[in-house]
Amino acid sequence: MATVAGQEERVELAIEGMTCASCATRIEKRLNRLDGVAASVSYASEHAAVAFDPTQVGLDDLIRAVEAAGYHAALPEDVPDGNPARPYRRRLGVAAVLTVPLVLFAWVGATRLPGWEYMSLALATPIVFYSGWPFHRAAVANARHLAATMDTLISVGTLAAWTWSTVVLLGGLAAGVYFDTAGAITTLILLGRYLEASAKRRSGEAIRALVELGAKHARVLRDGVEVDVPVELLTVGEQFVVRPGEKVATDGTIVSGISAVDRSLLTGESVPVEVGPGDDVVGASVNVSGRLVVRATKVGEATALAQIARLVSDAQVGKAPVQRLADRASAVFVPFVIGISLLTLAGWLAAGATATAAFTAAVAVIVVACPCALGLATPTALLVGTGRGAQLGIVIKGPEVLERTRRVTTIVLDKTGTVTCGKMTVAAIVPTDGVSEEDLLRLTAGVEDASEHPIARAIAAYGRDRLGMLPRAEHFSARAGLGIEAVVDGHAVVVGRLAVLADWGIPPLEQLAAEAERLESAAMTVVAVASDGELLGLVALSDRVKSTSRQAISELRALGLAPVLLSGDNEQTAKIVAADVGIDRVLANVLPGEKAAEVARLQAAGEVVAMVGDGVNDAPALAQADLGLAIGTGSDVAIEASDITLVSGDLRATADAIRLSRQTLRVIKGNLFWAFAYNVAAIPLAVAGLVDPILAAGTMAFSSVFVVANSLRLRHFQPLRTTA
C-alpha cells in the first residue's frame, strides 16, 4: 500500500459495478498504484476508504482511476440510496418463469414431446441473453481491461452451454443439448445475487439508521422568537428550543429547563437520563418531558452522532490480516478456475470420454467455483457486527481490533469517570484554627476556577453556589498530579495533595494530617490549601461509584479478564473503591503521566492489557494498551486514542464490547472456513464429473448466501446489561 504524507486527506467513495470480491481487489490495486494514496475497498459495503496526499493527487484522479478499472465512483451523497437487489428482480422473474418449462422439457421431452429441443432453444435464449445480460456485460468490460471476475466464469459457463447446444441442434450432431443447464445456471445465480444483495443491504441497515437519526430542523431562538430552520443552518453558540417528544437538534449544553432525555438510540441505555441547566445533551437524543433551551456547542461533522457514523463507516471498509489472505486468493482465483476447466476438458477427452461428458465436467468446474464467498466472509460480518455495536453504543474502530479482544488477559480501569461517576462533590471543609470556612473556600475556589481538572471544577462550582462571584486568579500554574498555584486577592495560594506540599516549602500540621487520614478512610479525595506559605485547611470531595460497576466487573471476570483499578488517589481511597466493586488489584498514587508506564509494566510482565478510561490524561495509556476502550462521555482525545468507544458511561458496555468483538471474530473465521472448504471440496468434485452443472450453480449461489446469512446472525447479539 502506498505511503501517505502527513498532510493526508481522507475520503469515502461509493463504488458501483462491483459484482464479486475480485472486482474490489482490482479497484484497490488500481487506487494504490497512485502516488500518495492508501485505499481499502469493501465489496460488501460497496465503498472505498481512501487516504491521499492532496499535493500529489486529487479527488478527480481517484474517480478516474476507478473508472479506468471499469467501474463507477462518486461521493456517497451523490449516489441515490436505492435497493441493490432491485436490478436483479425483473430479470430473475423472467428467468424463473421460463426456466420451469425449460427444465420440464429436459426431463420428459425426449420421450413425449417432439421438437422439444427447439422449444428449449426458444426458452433458453431470453434467459441467457436478457436475464443473464448483467453477467455478459460485466465480463466484456473486464475483458477490455484484461481482467477476469466471477462474472467471467458465469458468462463463459452459460454461453458455452447455450452455444454448444445450439450448434448440436442446428447442425444435427449426435450429442446432448444443455439448454436447461444454461437457463438453470442463469436463474440460480441470479437468485443467489438477489438474495445476496438483499442480505448485504440488511447488513448495512444499522449504520444507515444511525446516520438518519439526527433531527432535520431546529427551533432557534432569535430575538426571543422561535424560528424553525434546517439543522444544517444551526451554528455554534445559538440557542434552540427542544419541546417534549422532539429530538435534540445538535450537541449542546442546557441553558434552562429540566427534563429526562432518552439516549437509547445512541447509547443502548434503556432508561432516560435526568438533565438540567449546565448538563450536556447529545444531538439525536429525545427529550422525554420538559421544555429545554439548549446552546449549541457542536454542529455538523463535529457532533457525536457524525463522529460515531464516521468511525463505524471507517471500520466497515477496513481489512483484517486474515481478509487480506482471502483477497490474494480471490485475485488469482478466476484465472486459476478457467485454467482448471480447460485442463478438465482436455483431460476427459484424453481419457477417451465423450465430448458431452468432457464438456459437462468443464462447465461444472467453471460454475461451481465461488470467490465471492471468500470476499464476503470478513466484510459482511464486520458490517453487521459494527452496525449492531453502533446500535448498542459500542463503536469498534477497525477489524484488527477484533483479534486483540481475543488475546486480552488483563483489563485496567481508570477510577474517576470510569468506575465512579466522575462528578466530584465537596463533602467537607476543614479550616485550621483562626481561619474561617468562608475564607478557605473563597481562596480555594478562586484558584480552582482557573483549572479544568474535575476536582477543580467541583470546588469552583461549590464555591459559586455558596459565595456567588469568585475572586480572579492571577499567575496561575499547575504541576501535573501534584497541585496548582496562583495569586488570589494578593495572596500566593497553593492547592494540592497534603503529602507533596513540602515541595512548595510548606510544613505539614499533625492535626490536619490526622483529619486527612480520617477523610480518606471514608473514600474521600482530600486536597490541602496553603496561603503565603502556611496551611489554611483541607477540602474533601467524594465521587460516587457507578451503580453498574460491580456487575460490570463480574462480567469482565466471566470473560476471563483480570481487572486492575488505576487511580491517582491515595492507596487507601483506591482500595475502598476497588473492594466496593470487586477488584483485588490496585495501582494507586499514579500520576497522570505515569499511567502509560504502568500499562507498559504490565505488558512487560507478559500480560495482554486492555485499558478503559475517559480523560485527556488517559489518552497515552489507551494508546499504549493492546486494546484501548474509551468511555464516550469523556474527552475527544481519549476517544481518538482508543480502539473501541463506549458512547454511554455504563461500564457494563465494556464487557458487551469485548463479547461482541469476539463473537464477530468467530463469525469471520467460520465464514472463511466455509468459503475455503467449499471451494477446496467443490472444484475437485466437479473435475471428477461428480457435480452436475445445475447442481454446481445452486451450490455456488448458496455458498455466498450462506456467508452473508451467517453474518446476519450478529444482528441478534444481545447485551448482558440488566437493571443494576
Side-chain angles (χ1 to χ4, degrees):
M1 187 170 287
T3 300
V4 182
Q7 53 181 329
E8 74 174 30
E9 291 185 10
R10 293 182 175 272
V11 68
E12 187 173 306
L13 297 175
I15 309 294
E16 295 180 356
M18 290 193 297
T19 55
C20 72
S22 300
C23 300
T25 302
R26 284 182 52 220
I27 297 170
E28 188 172 295
K29 286 183 176 178
R30 183 66 69 112
L31 286 169
N32 285 326
R33 287 196 200 113
L34 299 175
D35 292 335
V37 172
S40 178
V41 181
S42 169
Y43 168 53
S45 66
E46 298 181 333
H47 280 70
V50 187
F52 64 97
D53 183 350
T55 64
Q56 299 185 66
V57 68
L59 179 60
D60 291 342
D61 298 315
L62 301 176
I63 292 175
R64 278 195 294 270
V66 175
E67 292 178 343
Y71 305 89
H72 180 66
L75 295 174
E77 55 265 28
D78 296 333
V79 178
D81 185 21
N83 186 345
R86 188 173 296 122
Y88 296 108
R89 190 178 297 161
R90 180 178 296 178
R91 296 181 190 275
L92 175 60
V94 171
V97 169
L98 297 179
T99 297
V100 172
L102 179 62
V103 172
L104 289 175
F105 286 158
W107 285 351
V108 302
T111 57
R112 301 181 186 178
L113 294 173
W116 67 272
E117 298 99 330
Y118 290 95
M119 288 186 284
S120 295
L121 172 60
L123 290 170
T125 299
I127 298 174
V128 171
F129 290 98
Y130 169 72
S131 296
W133 175 244
F135 307 135
H136 309 315
R137 180 179 56 203
V140 171
N142 289 321
R144 287 189 189 133
H145 294 87
L146 302 178
T149 67
M150 189 67 213
D151 292 294
T152 306
L153 298 181
I154 299 168
S155 179
V156 169
T158 54
L159 287 177
W162 183 89
T163 302
W164 167 278
S165 302
T166 302
V167 170
V168 167
L169 176 62
L170 300 182
L173 304 178
V177 294
Y178 292 95
F179 291 119
D180 59 319
T181 298
I185 288 173
T186 302
T187 302
L188 287 170
I189 294 174
L190 273 175
L191 175 62
R193 286 280 174 91
Y194 177 80
L195 295 174
E196 178 187 313
S198 299
K200 280 167 60 181
R201 179 171 177 80
R202 286 201 302 275
S203 70
E205 282 177 353
I207 186 61
R208 284 193 297 272
L210 187 65
V211 172
E212 294 169 1
L213 278 180
K216 302 298 184 286
H217 292 82
R219 302 178 188 275
V220 181
L221 282 176
R222 292 178 178 166
D223 298 324
V225 178
E226 294 182 22
V227 180
D228 193 33
V229 302
V231 72
E232 294 83 8
L233 300 181
L234 192 60
T235 60
V236 173
E238 284 192 303
Q239 296 185 8
F240 59 93
V241 174
V242 189
R243 295 174 180 172
E246 293 182 341
K247 290 182 179 179
V248 177
T250 193
D251 297 2
T253 302
I254 296 175
V255 176
S256 64
I258 297 175
S259 182
V261 173
D262 182 356
R263 304 186 301 176
S264 59
L265 292 175
L266 277 172
T267 67
E269 295 172 311
S270 59
V271 180
V273 179
E274 298 292 332
V275 294
D279 289 332
D280 293 330
V281 287
V282 180
S285 53
V286 179
N287 181 19
V288 176
S289 50
R291 178 181 184 271
L292 297 175
V293 176
V294 181
R295 183 179 68 256
T297 56
K298 293 180 181 179
V299 297
E301 294 301 311
T303 63
L305 177 62
Q307 289 182 33
I308 292 168
R310 175 179 59 80
L311 290 171
V312 174
S313 180
D314 288 348
Q316 291 180 341
V317 294
K319 294 189 178 181
V322 69
Q323 177 62 27
R324 299 198 179 279
L325 172 63
D327 286 349
R328 285 195 294 271
S330 298
V332 298
F333 190 90
V334 174
F336 170 78
V337 169
I338 292 175
I340 292 294
S341 176
L342 293 174
L343 289 174
T344 300
L345 179 64
W348 275 75
L349 291 174
T354 64
T356 298
F359 177 78
T360 299
V363 170
V365 169
I366 288 177
V367 175
V368 80
C370 185
C372 294
L374 290 173
L376 289 167
T378 294
T380 51
L382 199 60
L383 272 170
V384 183
T386 55
R388 179 57 179 153
Q391 292 176 327
L392 299 172
I394 299 166
V395 181
I396 302 168
K397 286 192 176 179
E400 64 283 349
V401 172
L402 305 178
E403 185 66 33
R404 281 183 250 153
T405 63
R406 183 183 65 83
R407 295 185 290 108
V408 167
T409 59
T410 301
I411 185 161
V412 177
L413 304 114
D414 180 61
K415 180 179 78 71
T416 304
T418 301
V419 175
T420 65
C421 294
K423 293 184 178 179
M424 308 291 286
T425 56
V426 174
I429 298 175
V430 184
T432 57
D433 294 338
V435 178
S436 70
E437 188 175 301
E438 184 175 305
D439 288 341
L440 174 59
L441 179 59
R442 186 179 71 257
L443 292 176
T444 309
V447 174
E448 299 283 29
D449 195 34
S451 172
E452 288 298 317
H453 193 279
I455 290 177
R457 289 200 299 268
I459 294 175
Y462 183 79
R464 276 192 296 272
D465 288 343
R466 283 195 53 181
L467 307 174
M469 185 73 68
L470 297 178
R472 182 180 178 184
E474 299 175 332
H475 308 297
F476 176 87
S477 67
R479 299 187 189 180
L482 300 176
I484 57 178
E485 60 182 335
V487 175
V488 179
D489 289 344
H491 298 283
V493 181
V494 174
V495 180
R497 291 158 56 186
L498 185 63
V500 298
L501 284 191
D503 289 2
W504 272 278
I506 300 168
L509 292 177
E510 290 187 10
Q511 173 193 354
L512 285 184
E515 184 64 16
E517 185 176 349
R518 184 188 68 80
L519 293 170
E520 287 171 351
S521 67
M524 294 186 189
T525 298
V526 179
V527 296
V529 185
S531 174
D532 299 328
E534 294 185 2
L535 277 172
L536 297 184
L538 307 172
V539 177
L541 302 96
S542 61
D543 182 11
R544 184 168 50 87
V545 171
K546 291 178 181 177
S547 59
T548 58
S549 290
R550 173 170 281 276
Q551 183 186 347
I553 300 304
S554 176
E555 291 177 5
L556 290 170
R557 286 188 183 278
L559 291 171
L561 305 179
V564 177
L565 185 69
L566 181 68
S567 175
D569 283 339
N570 64 81
E571 188 168 359
Q572 186 175 16
T573 300
K575 282 186 174 180
I576 292 173
V577 173
D580 189 22
V581 298
I583 297 177
D584 302 323
R585 192 172 175 186
V586 174
L587 299 174
N589 294 308
V590 179
L591 299 179
E594 297 175 350
K595 291 183 177 181
E598 291 291 344
V599 171
R601 273 192 281 274
L602 291 171
Q603 291 170 322
E607 299 182 53
V608 181
V609 181
M611 169 73 191
V612 187
D614 75 322
V616 172
N617 57 30
D618 295 326
L622 290 169
Q624 172 66 42
D626 299 285
L627 180 71
L629 300 99
I631 297 289
T633 49
S635 72
D636 291 342
V637 177
I639 293 170
E640 285 299 319
S642 66
D643 300 303
I644 297 176
T645 298
L646 311 174
V647 181
S648 75
D650 191 336
L651 189 58
R652 292 175 298 181
T654 304
D656 291 333
I658 293 174
R659 285 179 52 246
L660 175 60
S661 297
R662 289 179 175 179
Q663 189 166 327
T664 303
L665 183 64
R666 284 195 295 271
V667 170
I668 288 173
K669 290 184 175 181
N671 285 348
L672 286 170
F673 172 80
W674 162 258
F676 276 110
Y678 165 79
N679 284 291
V680 167
I683 293 175
L685 289 174
V687 170
L690 300 176
V691 178
D692 177 84
I694 295 177
L695 177 62
T699 56
M700 189 279 284
F702 174 75
S703 67
S704 292
V705 174
F706 173 85
V707 165
V708 179
N710 188 47
S711 298
L712 285 172
R713 293 188 303 116
L714 290 167
R715 294 199 305 170
H716 305 295
F717 174 87
Q718 292 297 326
L720 290 174
R721 307 179 206 177
T722 57
T723 304

